[in-house]
Short mmCIF file of all heavy atoms in Angstrom, two decimals:
data_model
loop_
_atom_site.label_atom_id
_atom_site.label_comp_id
_atom_site.label_asym_id
_atom_site.label_seq_id
_atom_site.Cartn_x
_atom_site.Cartn_y
_atom_site.Cartn_z
N MET A 1 0.84 -1.20 0.00
CA MET A 1 0.00 0.00 0.00
C MET A 1 0.88 1.25 0.00
O MET A 1 1.86 1.34 0.71
CB MET A 1 -0.88 0.00 1.26
CG MET A 1 -1.75 1.24 1.35
SD MET A 1 -3.26 0.94 2.24
CE MET A 1 -3.79 2.61 2.55
N GLU A 2 0.46 2.21 -0.82
CA GLU A 2 1.22 3.46 -0.93
C GLU A 2 1.08 4.29 0.34
O GLU A 2 0.04 4.31 0.97
CB GLU A 2 0.68 4.27 -2.11
CG GLU A 2 0.86 3.58 -3.44
CD GLU A 2 1.96 4.22 -4.25
OE1 GLU A 2 2.58 5.17 -3.76
OE2 GLU A 2 2.19 3.76 -5.37
N LYS A 3 2.15 4.98 0.69
CA LYS A 3 2.11 5.87 1.85
C LYS A 3 1.48 7.20 1.45
O LYS A 3 1.60 7.63 0.30
CB LYS A 3 3.53 6.13 2.35
CG LYS A 3 4.18 4.90 2.96
CD LYS A 3 5.59 5.24 3.41
CE LYS A 3 6.25 4.01 4.02
NZ LYS A 3 7.65 4.26 4.37
N PRO A 4 0.80 7.87 2.38
CA PRO A 4 0.23 9.18 2.06
C PRO A 4 1.33 10.21 1.84
O PRO A 4 2.41 10.12 2.42
CB PRO A 4 -0.60 9.51 3.29
CG PRO A 4 -0.04 8.70 4.38
CD PRO A 4 0.50 7.45 3.75
N LYS A 5 1.04 11.17 0.97
CA LYS A 5 1.96 12.28 0.68
C LYS A 5 1.17 13.57 0.69
O LYS A 5 -0.04 13.58 0.44
CB LYS A 5 2.60 12.10 -0.71
CG LYS A 5 3.31 10.79 -0.92
CD LYS A 5 4.64 10.74 -0.22
CE LYS A 5 5.32 9.40 -0.48
NZ LYS A 5 6.70 9.40 -0.02
N ALA A 6 1.88 14.67 0.97
CA ALA A 6 1.22 15.97 0.95
C ALA A 6 0.81 16.32 -0.47
O ALA A 6 1.47 15.95 -1.44
CB ALA A 6 2.15 17.03 1.51
N PHE A 7 -0.30 17.03 -0.58
CA PHE A 7 -0.85 17.39 -1.88
C PHE A 7 -1.38 18.81 -1.81
O PHE A 7 -2.13 19.15 -0.89
CB PHE A 7 -1.97 16.41 -2.24
CG PHE A 7 -2.73 16.81 -3.48
CD1 PHE A 7 -2.24 16.48 -4.73
CD2 PHE A 7 -3.92 17.50 -3.38
CE1 PHE A 7 -2.93 16.83 -5.88
CE2 PHE A 7 -4.63 17.87 -4.54
CZ PHE A 7 -4.13 17.53 -5.78
N VAL A 8 -0.99 19.66 -2.76
CA VAL A 8 -1.45 21.06 -2.76
C VAL A 8 -2.66 21.22 -3.67
O VAL A 8 -2.64 20.81 -4.83
CB VAL A 8 -0.32 22.01 -3.24
CG1 VAL A 8 -0.83 23.44 -3.32
CG2 VAL A 8 0.88 21.92 -2.32
N ASP A 9 -3.70 21.83 -3.12
CA ASP A 9 -4.88 22.17 -3.92
C ASP A 9 -4.55 23.44 -4.70
O ASP A 9 -4.50 24.53 -4.14
CB ASP A 9 -6.07 22.40 -3.00
CG ASP A 9 -7.36 22.68 -3.78
OD1 ASP A 9 -7.26 23.11 -4.95
OD2 ASP A 9 -8.44 22.46 -3.21
N LYS A 10 -4.30 23.31 -5.98
CA LYS A 10 -3.87 24.45 -6.79
C LYS A 10 -4.94 25.53 -6.93
O LYS A 10 -4.65 26.68 -7.21
CB LYS A 10 -3.44 23.97 -8.19
CG LYS A 10 -2.19 23.14 -8.15
CD LYS A 10 -1.78 22.68 -9.54
CE LYS A 10 -0.54 21.83 -9.46
NZ LYS A 10 -0.16 21.31 -10.78
N GLU A 11 -6.18 25.16 -6.74
CA GLU A 11 -7.25 26.15 -6.81
C GLU A 11 -7.18 27.10 -5.62
O GLU A 11 -7.56 28.26 -5.70
CB GLU A 11 -8.62 25.46 -6.83
CG GLU A 11 -8.84 24.51 -8.00
CD GLU A 11 -8.80 25.23 -9.34
OE1 GLU A 11 -9.36 26.32 -9.42
OE2 GLU A 11 -8.19 24.69 -10.27
N LYS A 12 -6.70 26.58 -4.47
CA LYS A 12 -6.65 27.38 -3.25
C LYS A 12 -5.31 28.10 -3.08
O LYS A 12 -5.27 29.18 -2.51
CB LYS A 12 -6.88 26.48 -2.03
CG LYS A 12 -8.29 25.97 -1.87
CD LYS A 12 -8.38 25.19 -0.56
CE LYS A 12 -9.78 24.69 -0.28
NZ LYS A 12 -9.82 23.91 0.98
N CYS A 13 -4.22 27.50 -3.51
CA CYS A 13 -2.87 28.02 -3.22
C CYS A 13 -2.69 29.46 -3.66
O CYS A 13 -3.00 29.83 -4.78
CB CYS A 13 -1.82 27.13 -3.90
SG CYS A 13 -0.14 27.71 -3.65
N LEU A 14 -2.15 30.27 -2.74
CA LEU A 14 -1.90 31.68 -3.01
C LEU A 14 -0.43 31.94 -3.32
O LEU A 14 -0.01 33.08 -3.45
CB LEU A 14 -2.31 32.52 -1.80
CG LEU A 14 -3.77 32.41 -1.35
CD1 LEU A 14 -3.97 33.15 -0.04
CD2 LEU A 14 -4.70 32.94 -2.43
N ALA A 15 0.38 30.87 -3.35
CA ALA A 15 1.80 30.98 -3.61
C ALA A 15 2.52 31.90 -2.63
O ALA A 15 3.37 32.69 -3.02
CB ALA A 15 2.05 31.41 -5.07
N CYS A 16 2.15 31.80 -1.36
CA CYS A 16 2.77 32.66 -0.35
C CYS A 16 4.19 32.20 -0.04
O CYS A 16 4.97 32.96 0.51
CB CYS A 16 1.92 32.66 0.91
SG CYS A 16 1.99 31.11 1.84
N GLY A 17 4.51 30.96 -0.34
CA GLY A 17 5.86 30.45 -0.14
C GLY A 17 6.14 29.88 1.24
O GLY A 17 7.23 29.36 1.48
N GLY A 18 5.17 29.97 2.14
CA GLY A 18 5.39 29.50 3.51
C GLY A 18 5.74 28.03 3.59
O GLY A 18 6.64 27.63 4.34
N CYS A 19 5.05 27.22 2.83
CA CYS A 19 5.31 25.77 2.88
C CYS A 19 6.65 25.43 2.24
O CYS A 19 7.33 24.50 2.66
CB CYS A 19 4.20 25.02 2.17
SG CYS A 19 4.01 25.45 0.42
N ILE A 20 7.05 26.21 1.24
CA ILE A 20 8.29 25.93 0.53
C ILE A 20 9.50 26.11 1.43
O ILE A 20 10.40 25.28 1.47
CB ILE A 20 8.41 26.86 -0.70
CG1 ILE A 20 7.28 26.54 -1.69
CG2 ILE A 20 9.78 26.72 -1.37
CD1 ILE A 20 7.12 27.54 -2.79
N SER A 21 9.47 27.19 2.22
CA SER A 21 10.63 27.48 3.07
C SER A 21 10.70 26.57 4.29
O SER A 21 11.76 26.39 4.86
CB SER A 21 10.60 28.95 3.49
OG SER A 21 9.41 29.25 4.17
N ILE A 22 9.59 25.96 4.67
CA ILE A 22 9.58 25.18 5.91
C ILE A 22 9.77 23.68 5.69
O ILE A 22 10.10 22.95 6.63
CB ILE A 22 8.27 25.45 6.69
CG1 ILE A 22 8.51 25.25 8.18
CG2 ILE A 22 7.12 24.57 6.19
CD1 ILE A 22 7.46 25.88 9.06
N CYS A 23 9.60 23.21 4.49
CA CYS A 23 9.70 21.77 4.24
C CYS A 23 11.11 21.25 4.50
O CYS A 23 12.06 21.71 3.87
CB CYS A 23 9.31 21.44 2.80
SG CYS A 23 9.55 19.69 2.41
N PRO A 24 11.29 20.29 5.42
CA PRO A 24 12.63 19.79 5.75
C PRO A 24 13.24 18.94 4.64
O PRO A 24 14.43 18.67 4.65
CB PRO A 24 12.38 18.95 7.01
CG PRO A 24 10.96 18.51 6.89
CD PRO A 24 10.24 19.65 6.22
N GLN A 25 12.42 18.53 3.70
CA GLN A 25 12.89 17.67 2.61
C GLN A 25 13.12 18.44 1.31
O GLN A 25 13.49 17.85 0.29
CB GLN A 25 11.84 16.58 2.33
CG GLN A 25 11.64 15.59 3.45
CD GLN A 25 12.86 14.73 3.66
OE1 GLN A 25 13.56 14.88 4.66
NE2 GLN A 25 13.15 13.86 2.72
N ASP A 26 12.91 19.75 1.34
CA ASP A 26 12.95 20.54 0.10
C ASP A 26 12.08 19.91 -0.98
O ASP A 26 12.47 19.85 -2.15
CB ASP A 26 14.39 20.69 -0.42
CG ASP A 26 15.19 21.68 0.40
OD1 ASP A 26 14.58 22.61 0.96
OD2 ASP A 26 16.43 21.52 0.48
N ALA A 27 10.92 19.43 -0.55
CA ALA A 27 10.06 18.70 -1.48
C ALA A 27 9.05 19.58 -2.19
O ALA A 27 8.34 19.12 -3.06
CB ALA A 27 9.31 17.60 -0.72
N ILE A 28 8.99 20.88 -1.78
CA ILE A 28 7.98 21.75 -2.38
C ILE A 28 8.64 22.83 -3.22
O ILE A 28 9.58 23.48 -2.78
CB ILE A 28 7.09 22.41 -1.31
CG1 ILE A 28 6.58 21.36 -0.32
CG2 ILE A 28 5.91 23.13 -1.97
CD1 ILE A 28 5.71 21.93 0.80
N THR A 29 8.16 22.98 -4.42
CA THR A 29 8.65 24.02 -5.32
C THR A 29 7.43 24.73 -5.91
O THR A 29 6.30 24.35 -5.65
CB THR A 29 9.48 23.41 -6.48
OG1 THR A 29 8.69 22.40 -7.11
CG2 THR A 29 10.77 22.81 -5.97
N THR A 30 7.68 25.76 -6.71
CA THR A 30 6.55 26.40 -7.37
C THR A 30 6.54 26.02 -8.84
O THR A 30 7.58 25.84 -9.47
CB THR A 30 6.62 27.94 -7.27
OG1 THR A 30 7.91 28.37 -7.67
CG2 THR A 30 6.33 28.40 -5.86
N CYS A 31 5.33 25.88 -9.35
CA CYS A 31 5.14 25.59 -10.76
C CYS A 31 3.98 26.46 -11.23
O CYS A 31 2.88 26.33 -10.68
CB CYS A 31 4.83 24.11 -10.96
SG CYS A 31 4.53 23.68 -12.68
N SER A 32 4.22 27.33 -12.17
CA SER A 32 3.18 28.26 -12.64
C SER A 32 2.57 29.03 -11.47
O SER A 32 1.36 29.16 -11.36
CB SER A 32 2.09 27.52 -13.40
OG SER A 32 2.64 26.87 -14.50
N THR A 33 3.42 29.48 -10.57
CA THR A 33 3.09 30.28 -9.38
C THR A 33 2.26 29.53 -8.35
O THR A 33 1.71 30.13 -7.44
CB THR A 33 2.40 31.62 -9.71
OG1 THR A 33 1.07 31.36 -10.14
CG2 THR A 33 3.15 32.40 -10.77
N LYS A 34 2.17 28.20 -8.43
CA LYS A 34 1.48 27.42 -7.42
C LYS A 34 2.48 26.45 -6.78
O LYS A 34 3.40 25.98 -7.46
CB LYS A 34 0.33 26.62 -8.03
CG LYS A 34 -0.70 27.47 -8.75
CD LYS A 34 -1.47 28.34 -7.79
CE LYS A 34 -2.52 29.17 -8.52
NZ LYS A 34 -3.28 30.04 -7.63
N ALA A 35 2.27 26.17 -5.49
CA ALA A 35 3.16 25.22 -4.83
C ALA A 35 2.87 23.80 -5.32
O ALA A 35 1.72 23.43 -5.55
CB ALA A 35 2.96 25.31 -3.31
N VAL A 36 3.94 23.03 -5.47
CA VAL A 36 3.81 21.65 -5.93
C VAL A 36 4.70 20.77 -5.06
O VAL A 36 5.85 21.11 -4.81
CB VAL A 36 4.24 21.50 -7.40
CG1 VAL A 36 4.14 20.04 -7.85
CG2 VAL A 36 3.39 22.38 -8.30
N VAL A 37 4.16 19.64 -4.60
CA VAL A 37 4.92 18.72 -3.76
C VAL A 37 5.55 17.64 -4.63
O VAL A 37 4.88 17.01 -5.46
CB VAL A 37 4.02 18.06 -2.71
CG1 VAL A 37 4.80 17.00 -1.92
CG2 VAL A 37 3.44 19.10 -1.76
N ASN A 38 6.85 17.44 -4.43
CA ASN A 38 7.55 16.33 -5.08
C ASN A 38 7.29 15.08 -4.23
O ASN A 38 7.85 14.94 -3.14
CB ASN A 38 9.04 16.64 -5.16
CG ASN A 38 9.81 15.52 -5.83
OD1 ASN A 38 9.40 14.36 -5.82
ND2 ASN A 38 10.94 15.87 -6.42
N LYS A 39 6.44 14.20 -4.68
CA LYS A 39 6.04 13.07 -3.85
C LYS A 39 7.17 12.06 -3.65
O LYS A 39 7.10 11.23 -2.75
CB LYS A 39 4.81 12.38 -4.44
CG LYS A 39 5.01 11.75 -5.79
CD LYS A 39 3.72 11.06 -6.23
CE LYS A 39 3.91 10.40 -7.57
NZ LYS A 39 2.72 9.65 -8.00
N GLU A 40 8.21 12.14 -4.46
CA GLU A 40 9.37 11.26 -4.25
C GLU A 40 10.15 11.70 -3.01
O GLU A 40 10.74 10.88 -2.31
CB GLU A 40 10.28 11.29 -5.48
CG GLU A 40 9.61 10.91 -6.78
CD GLU A 40 9.07 9.49 -6.76
OE1 GLU A 40 9.71 8.64 -6.13
OE2 GLU A 40 8.01 9.25 -7.36
N LYS A 41 10.17 13.00 -2.75
CA LYS A 41 10.91 13.52 -1.61
C LYS A 41 10.08 13.60 -0.34
O LYS A 41 10.60 13.50 0.77
CB LYS A 41 11.43 14.94 -1.92
CG LYS A 41 12.55 14.99 -2.94
CD LYS A 41 13.03 16.44 -3.08
CE LYS A 41 14.23 16.56 -3.98
NZ LYS A 41 14.66 17.97 -4.08
N CYS A 42 8.77 13.80 -0.47
CA CYS A 42 7.90 14.02 0.68
C CYS A 42 7.87 12.82 1.62
O CYS A 42 7.73 11.68 1.20
CB CYS A 42 6.49 14.32 0.18
SG CYS A 42 5.29 14.52 1.51
N ILE A 43 8.02 13.11 2.93
CA ILE A 43 7.97 12.05 3.94
C ILE A 43 6.68 12.16 4.78
O ILE A 43 6.56 11.53 5.81
CB ILE A 43 9.20 12.11 4.86
CG1 ILE A 43 9.34 13.48 5.52
CG2 ILE A 43 10.47 11.74 4.07
CD1 ILE A 43 10.42 13.55 6.59
N ASP A 44 5.76 12.99 4.32
CA ASP A 44 4.46 13.18 4.98
C ASP A 44 4.61 13.56 6.45
O ASP A 44 3.91 13.04 7.32
CB ASP A 44 3.60 11.92 4.85
CG ASP A 44 2.11 12.23 5.08
OD1 ASP A 44 1.66 13.27 4.59
OD2 ASP A 44 1.43 11.45 5.77
N CYS A 45 5.50 14.51 6.71
CA CYS A 45 5.71 14.96 8.09
C CYS A 45 4.58 15.89 8.54
O CYS A 45 4.42 16.15 9.71
CB CYS A 45 7.05 15.67 8.21
SG CYS A 45 7.12 17.24 7.33
N SER A 46 3.83 16.42 7.59
CA SER A 46 2.66 17.29 7.80
C SER A 46 2.98 18.70 8.29
O SER A 46 2.07 19.46 8.63
CB SER A 46 1.62 16.62 8.71
OG SER A 46 1.96 16.78 10.07
N ILE A 47 4.26 19.05 8.31
CA ILE A 47 4.62 20.42 8.73
C ILE A 47 4.01 21.45 7.77
O ILE A 47 3.47 22.47 8.20
CB ILE A 47 6.15 20.59 8.78
CG1 ILE A 47 6.72 19.75 9.91
CG2 ILE A 47 6.53 22.06 8.96
CD1 ILE A 47 8.23 19.71 9.96
N CYS A 48 4.06 21.17 6.50
CA CYS A 48 3.50 22.12 5.52
C CYS A 48 2.00 22.25 5.67
O CYS A 48 1.43 23.32 5.49
CB CYS A 48 3.87 21.71 4.10
SG CYS A 48 3.23 20.08 3.63
N ILE A 49 1.35 21.14 6.00
CA ILE A 49 -0.11 21.15 6.17
C ILE A 49 -0.49 22.08 7.31
O ILE A 49 -1.44 22.86 7.22
CB ILE A 49 -0.62 19.72 6.43
CG1 ILE A 49 -0.37 18.85 5.19
CG2 ILE A 49 -2.11 19.72 6.79
CD1 ILE A 49 -0.60 17.38 5.40
N GLN A 50 0.28 22.02 8.39
CA GLN A 50 0.02 22.88 9.55
C GLN A 50 0.41 24.33 9.27
O GLN A 50 -0.13 25.26 9.88
CB GLN A 50 0.81 22.37 10.75
CG GLN A 50 0.35 20.99 11.23
CD GLN A 50 1.40 20.32 12.11
OE1 GLN A 50 2.12 20.99 12.83
NE2 GLN A 50 1.47 19.01 12.05
N THR A 51 1.33 24.53 8.34
CA THR A 51 1.84 25.87 8.05
C THR A 51 0.95 26.66 7.11
O THR A 51 0.81 27.87 7.25
CB THR A 51 3.25 25.77 7.43
OG1 THR A 51 4.11 25.15 8.38
CG2 THR A 51 3.80 27.14 7.06
N CYS A 52 0.34 26.01 6.17
CA CYS A 52 -0.43 26.72 5.14
C CYS A 52 -1.57 27.52 5.78
O CYS A 52 -2.42 26.95 6.48
CB CYS A 52 -1.01 25.74 4.13
SG CYS A 52 -1.94 26.59 2.83
N PRO A 53 -1.59 28.84 5.56
CA PRO A 53 -2.58 29.69 6.22
C PRO A 53 -4.00 29.50 5.72
O PRO A 53 -4.95 29.93 6.38
CB PRO A 53 -2.08 31.11 5.91
CG PRO A 53 -1.33 30.96 4.64
CD PRO A 53 -0.67 29.61 4.71
N ILE A 54 -4.15 28.87 4.57
CA ILE A 54 -5.51 28.73 4.02
C ILE A 54 -5.94 27.28 3.85
O ILE A 54 -6.95 27.00 3.20
CB ILE A 54 -5.61 29.47 2.67
CG1 ILE A 54 -4.55 28.92 1.70
CG2 ILE A 54 -5.48 30.97 2.86
CD1 ILE A 54 -4.82 29.32 0.27
N GLY A 55 -5.16 26.37 4.42
CA GLY A 55 -5.57 24.96 4.35
C GLY A 55 -5.55 24.38 2.95
O GLY A 55 -6.39 23.54 2.61
N ALA A 56 -4.58 24.82 2.14
CA ALA A 56 -4.53 24.34 0.75
C ALA A 56 -3.78 23.02 0.60
O ALA A 56 -3.76 22.45 -0.49
CB ALA A 56 -3.87 25.40 -0.14
N ILE A 57 -3.14 22.56 1.70
CA ILE A 57 -2.38 21.31 1.60
C ILE A 57 -3.07 20.23 2.41
O ILE A 57 -3.46 20.44 3.56
CB ILE A 57 -0.93 21.48 2.09
CG1 ILE A 57 -0.29 22.71 1.48
CG2 ILE A 57 -0.12 20.23 1.75
CD1 ILE A 57 1.14 22.96 1.92
N LYS A 58 -3.19 19.08 1.79
CA LYS A 58 -3.78 17.93 2.46
C LYS A 58 -2.85 16.74 2.26
O LYS A 58 -1.92 16.79 1.46
CB LYS A 58 -5.16 17.62 1.87
CG LYS A 58 -6.20 18.70 2.15
CD LYS A 58 -7.53 18.33 1.54
CE LYS A 58 -8.64 19.27 2.02
NZ LYS A 58 -8.32 20.70 1.85
N SER A 59 -3.10 15.69 3.02
CA SER A 59 -2.31 14.47 2.86
C SER A 59 -3.19 13.42 2.18
O SER A 59 -4.32 13.17 2.61
CB SER A 59 -1.87 13.96 4.23
OG SER A 59 -1.07 12.81 4.09
N GLU A 60 -2.67 12.86 1.09
CA GLU A 60 -3.46 11.89 0.34
C GLU A 60 -2.60 10.69 -0.03
O GLU A 60 -1.39 10.80 -0.16
CB GLU A 60 -3.97 12.51 -0.97
CG GLU A 60 -5.01 13.58 -0.77
CD GLU A 60 -5.62 14.04 -2.08
OE1 GLU A 60 -5.13 13.61 -3.15
OE2 GLU A 60 -6.58 14.82 -2.03
N VAL A 61 -3.25 9.57 -0.22
CA VAL A 61 -2.55 8.40 -0.74
C VAL A 61 -2.65 8.46 -2.26
O VAL A 61 -3.75 8.56 -2.81
CB VAL A 61 -3.19 7.10 -0.23
CG1 VAL A 61 -2.52 5.89 -0.88
CG2 VAL A 61 -3.09 7.02 1.27
N TYR A 62 -1.50 8.44 -2.92
CA TYR A 62 -1.51 8.52 -4.38
C TYR A 62 -1.78 7.15 -4.98
O TYR A 62 -1.39 6.15 -4.43
CB TYR A 62 -0.16 9.03 -4.87
CG TYR A 62 -0.01 10.52 -4.72
CD1 TYR A 62 0.33 11.07 -3.48
CD2 TYR A 62 -0.24 11.36 -5.81
CE1 TYR A 62 0.45 12.43 -3.34
CE2 TYR A 62 -0.11 12.73 -5.66
CZ TYR A 62 0.23 13.26 -4.43
OH TYR A 62 0.36 14.61 -4.28
S1 LIG B 1 4.57 16.75 4.40
FE1 LIG B 1 6.62 17.37 5.15
S2 LIG B 1 8.05 16.48 3.67
FE2 LIG B 1 6.03 16.44 2.71
S3 LIG B 1 5.96 18.33 1.49
FE3 LIG B 1 5.04 18.77 3.53
S4 LIG B 1 6.71 19.59 4.79
FE4 LIG B 1 7.62 18.57 3.00
S1 LIG B 2 1.59 27.67 2.36
FE1 LIG B 2 -0.36 27.20 1.29
S2 LIG B 2 -0.89 29.08 0.14
FE2 LIG B 2 1.29 29.23 0.75
S3 LIG B 2 2.43 28.43 -1.04
FE3 LIG B 2 2.10 26.70 0.39
S4 LIG B 2 0.18 25.72 -0.33
FE4 LIG B 2 0.28 27.75 -1.26
#
């Protein structure tokens, strides 16, 4: 079974950059001004989920 990974809702993301700077795995980058999680790097620590001011990041099983 696949492990859950963080996932950014691109409709909600404001590209504030908060999750990008806090990710310990450097797993988040921007793509077309929206945050994107590299699921190969993500360890589902949920720090970004707690950091996002608008709740745009969730944890999902891919
Ligand atoms: S869950 Fe943790 S490792 Fe994964 S993208 Fe968010 S901060 Fe980075
Ligand atoms: S913290 Fe939330 S709003 Fe800010 S860039 Fe990350 S996903 Fe987007």
Side-chain angles (χ1 to χ4, degrees):
M1 178 152 166
E2 297 254 2
K3 292 179 180 175
K5 305 284 180 170
F7 172 83
V8 177
D9 183 337
K10 292 180 181 177
E11 300 297 319
K12 289 184 178 179
C13 178
L14 301 173
C16 72
C19 61
I20 295 168
S21 58
I22 208 162
C23 175
Q25 294 293 109
D26 285 331
I28 311 179
T29 53
T30 50
C31 178
S32 301
T33 73
K34 302 293 181 181
V36 178
V37 175
N38 181 334
K39 64 178 181 177
E40 303 299 325
K41 289 184 175 180
C42 176
I43 56 172
D44 199 41
C45 68
S46 82
I47 292 174
C48 61
I49 295 170
Q50 295 162 32
T51 299
C52 181
I54 57 165
I57 312 180
K58 293 180 170 53
S59 182
E60 291 188 353
V61 175
Y62 282 80

